[in-house]
Amino acid sequence: MQSTLQQANRKLAIRMMVIACLMFGFGYAMVPFYGALCKAMGIDRANSDFANTSAAVIRVEFDTNVDTGLAASLIALDPVLAAKPGGLLKARFRLINKSDQPLKVRAIPSYAPARAAGLLQKLECFCFDGLTLAANEQRDVMVVLLVANELPEELGAATLSYTLHPELKS
């Protein structure tokens, strides 16, 4: 009698653990699934296709460089984007560690023209902190920019350049 009750409780506990794991997995998978679904349906709000063509538009070009001797690559997956004043820009980049050793890197941004720095505010950037890449790791990272509400008429384009440097040891 006691043994049958213990077996029943053990089976119930295993079932509950499996259900909890499935629920956690479902919740964990929802974020990339939602992103892929929005992209497939074309409802990505940072997409420049939603820019109002009658409003002033700024064209932002993304340039990448890597410090000499650093066994890494930085590739702009969205090299040119457009946004209207007050809009958001979301640009993707791919970091690649080409070495067999872990690599600590830091991306340093610069703007051209320099006054564009005051008009393109970084809300999210892989350049905020140093990154550690595992050996031969490839990682996609993102920059989200808020475009100022009022742009000078003569500023139709800006370049945001990132240079990848080795992280300095402290």
Side-chain angles (χ1 to χ4, degrees):
M1 180 77 175
Q2 183 80 9
S3 171
T4 307
L5 183 60
Q6 285 179 343
Q7 280 184 330
N9 285 342
R10 183 174 297 148
K11 285 182 180 178
L12 180 61
I14 291 172
R15 286 183 186 151
M16 297 304 281
M17 286 177 40
V18 169
I19 290 172
C21 289
L22 289 173
M23 291 172 62
F24 176 79
F26 178 76
Y28 193 76
M30 284 304 294
V31 173
F33 176 75
Y34 181 76
L37 181 66
C38 288
K39 188 174 183 177
M41 295 177 69
I43 54 175
D44 186 357
R45 299 189 69 180
N47 190 334
S48 61
D49 294 339
F50 288 98
N52 182 354
T53 56
S54 64
V57 174
I58 185 168
R59 172 187 163 107
V60 180
E61 297 178 8
F62 296 94
D63 179 45
T64 59
N65 302 290
V66 177
D67 197 359
T68 305
L70 187 63
S73 292
L74 177 61
I75 302 165
L77 299 176
D78 304 307
V80 179
L81 294 174
K84 64 182 182 179
L88 290 176
L89 277 177
K90 186 167 52 172
R92 299 171 296 131
F93 295 85
R94 180 162 293 151
L95 281 165
I96 302 170
N97 179 1
K98 295 179 177 178
S99 73
D100 294 332
Q101 301 293 321
L103 188 63
K104 290 184 176 184
V105 295
R106 183 173 200 99
I108 306 296
S110 63
Y111 291 90
R115 63 188 168 135
L119 302 170
L120 300 171
Q121 179 185 2
K122 286 192 236 45
L123 300 178
E124 177 183 334
C125 183
F126 65 96
C127 62
F128 288 163
D129 298 312
L131 299 169
T132 301
L133 298 171
N136 300 309
E137 180 183 358
Q138 177 176 303
R139 185 184 310 173
D140 289 347
V141 293
M142 184 179 305
V143 172
V144 178
L145 301 169
L146 175 63
V147 180
N149 286 328
E150 296 185 24
L151 297 172
E153 287 185 28
E154 70 276 5
L155 184 67
T159 301
L160 179 53
S161 179
Y162 286 97
T163 302
L164 202 60
H165 296 278
E167 178 80 16
L168 297 176
K169 296 178 182 173
S170 55

